[in-house]
Amino acid sequence: MINRRHIRVKVMQSVYALLQSKSDNLNKEEKFLYASIDKMYDLYVLILCLLVEVRDMERNHIEISKKKFLATPQELKPNTKFIDNQVFKLLDESASLNEYLVNNNLNYWKLDSEYINEILKLIKESAAYASYMETEVTTFKEDVAFVETIFKEIIAPNEKLAEYFEDKNISWVDDIPFVNTWVVKSLSQIKPNSIFKLGKLYKDDEDKQFVLDLFRKVVLNHKELEKDIVDKTPNWDAERIAEIDMILIKMAICEFLKFPSIPTRVTINEYIEISKDYSTNKSSFFINGVLDKILKDLTTSKRLNKIGRGLL
């Protein structure tokens, strides 16, 4: 499921896009923001489905080899440990996974099977595969460990696959690392003799509402928020502050003032970490310094209004 940090990243991107376009169509931008998050779920499902497609391709290869006129004894009686992996089976039989694929017409792998073939080739050339296939009998725990290993070592870092996803949806560039982590977590939670169910996109309705609330409150108050920044950076012309830095600081101030249940330290830490990935090398120090000054001023002037866990 999407966490608060990735929600903040998505909101940051949408705020940046809206301010750059100078659009005043807030409803349109809000729909685009939610759609961008929804598409992340497509990526999550596609990656899980890729595992099943790799299994299916290998099973097809085995069946073809068996029918050869001069099939070898090994081809006639192959080691089926890979295609019998219980994790693949549970994913294949998952009603929620298959229903989502059909309802959203996610037939990417049927149309672009060369990527499946590439991944299968890399798996079969790996040390993990050789070790796994040494014996025909395995435990469920070993099946899970093997699938996690090939995902982490072969699928997740595959550059061709990343380029493919980027080509399909530009917003997936930033989503891939997060979704890969989500997939690993989903795999680790699979239990024997159980039904695999897709993870939820949002933890709860509060997180889904947080997307909209943060976006609206930053956009509708961005001029007022900018004034707080200018007041605390007298030696900086506002135009000299990196645009992403300015947006991240505005978002943080917005959380200080308009989200009473979010602790200020959580807010500061989140935006410092985001700046490390999306802004300049020195941005995290600059943002930390500005937010520290602003927080002290808001506390002194009693504009800060935190309640409940926001006080921690």
Side-chain angles (χ1 to χ4, degrees):
M1 70 183 71
I2 190 169
N3 57 30
R4 285 285 178 104
R5 179 173 298 174
H6 207 63
I7 286 175
R8 289 177 172 99
V9 168
K10 288 291 188 182
V11 170
M12 173 200 74
Q13 292 169 338
S14 289
V15 171
Y16 178 82
L18 183 141
L19 295 179
Q20 284 291 302
S21 65
K22 296 182 171 54
S23 170
D24 59 358
N25 191 335
L26 200 59
N27 288 333
K28 179 183 175 182
E29 296 300 331
E30 287 168 357
K31 288 178 181 177
F32 181 83
L33 171 58
Y34 271 130
S36 174
I37 295 175
D38 288 343
K39 290 299 290 183
M40 190 178 73
Y41 201 76
D42 286 0
L43 180 60
Y44 166 67
V45 172
L46 281 170
I47 292 176
L48 288 171
C49 181
L50 180 148
L51 293 167
V52 178
E53 293 292 337
V54 167
R55 187 279 311 267
D56 288 350
M57 180 170 282
E58 175 62 4
R59 183 164 58 189
N60 186 51
H61 288 171
I62 288 174
E63 290 304 314
I64 291 172
S65 295
K66 281 182 180 181
K67 295 174 182 178
K68 283 182 180 179
F69 181 68
L70 296 175
T72 65
Q74 185 178 4
E75 288 172 331
L76 290 171
K77 193 177 180 181
N79 182 348
T80 61
K81 186 174 181 179
F82 178 78
I83 64 172
D84 292 337
N85 184 288
Q86 297 171 77
V87 175
F88 297 150
K89 185 174 184 289
L90 289 176
L91 291 174
D92 187 27
E93 295 174 349
S94 170
S96 62
L97 180 59
N98 288 309
E99 185 178 342
Y100 191 91
L101 287 169
V102 172
N103 290 345
N104 293 276
N105 196 31
L106 296 181
N107 59 350
Y108 290 33
W109 304 131
K110 302 298 181 187
L111 300 174
D112 301 306
S113 60
E114 66 269 24
Y115 292 93
I116 303 300
N117 189 57
E118 172 71 11
I119 294 299
L120 177 59
K121 177 175 176 288
L122 292 172
I123 289 173
K124 295 181 72 173
E125 291 173 350
S126 69
Y129 178 84
S131 176
Y132 178 72
M133 297 297 284
E134 282 181 353
T135 59
E136 293 187 17
V137 180
T138 188
T139 65
F140 186 83
K141 184 178 180 181
E142 288 170 330
D143 277 354
V144 173
F146 170 69
V147 175
E148 287 183 344
T149 297
I150 62 172
F151 181 77
K152 292 176 183 177
E153 296 181 0
I154 298 170
I155 297 173
N158 189 275
E159 293 184 6
K160 288 184 180 178
L161 205 54
E163 290 171 2
Y164 173 76
F165 288 139
E166 181 181 351
D167 184 57
K168 290 297 180 182
N169 189 316
I170 190 63
S171 70
W172 282 348
V173 175
D174 294 313
D175 297 332
I176 290 173
F178 175 81
V179 173
N180 282 340
T181 301
W182 188 6
V183 169
V184 170
K185 185 175 181 181
S186 296
L187 292 174
S188 69
Q189 293 174 341
I190 292 179
K191 304 298 180 185
N193 303 314
S194 62
I195 297 173
F196 177 81
K197 293 183 180 179
L198 291 174
K200 296 190 299 181
L201 180 56
Y202 295 97
K203 183 182 73 173
D204 49 34
D205 290 339
E206 183 180 340
D207 269 10
K208 186 172 184 179
Q209 187 60 41
F210 178 66
V211 175
L212 195 61
D213 289 345
L214 182 59
F215 178 71
R216 283 182 177 176
K217 289 176 180 179
V218 171
V219 170
L220 295 176
N221 297 281
H222 82 97
K223 289 295 184 185
E224 173 190 334
L225 296 169
E226 188 167 312
K227 186 177 183 303
D228 278 311
I229 298 171
V230 172
D231 289 346
K232 294 298 172 293
T233 54
N235 297 323
W236 286 82
D237 185 328
E239 293 183 359
R240 289 180 57 208
I241 300 176
E243 290 180 82
I244 293 297
D245 290 359
M246 182 67 85
I247 290 171
L248 292 176
I249 296 171
K250 286 179 182 179
M251 291 173 69
I253 300 171
C254 184
E255 287 190 24
F256 288 163
L257 297 173
K258 302 182 184 297
F259 291 84
S261 66
I262 300 178
T264 55
R265 182 43 53 188
V266 169
T267 293
I268 292 174
N269 289 341
E270 289 286 81
Y271 288 107
I272 287 174
E273 290 305 310
I274 292 171
S275 72
K276 292 176 182 178
D277 290 328
Y278 292 91
S279 198
T280 67
N281 292 333
K282 297 181 180 179
S283 289
S284 60
F285 300 103
F286 174 70
I287 289 173
N288 187 34
V290 173
L291 290 181
D292 187 57
K293 288 181 181 179
I294 290 173
L295 180 57
K296 287 177 181 177
D297 181 69
L298 293 177
T299 303
T300 302
S301 62
K302 296 184 179 181
R303 291 174 61 198
L304 199 65
N305 181 28
K306 294 292 181 180
I307 59 173
R309 62 190 178 95
L311 294 169
L312 301 175

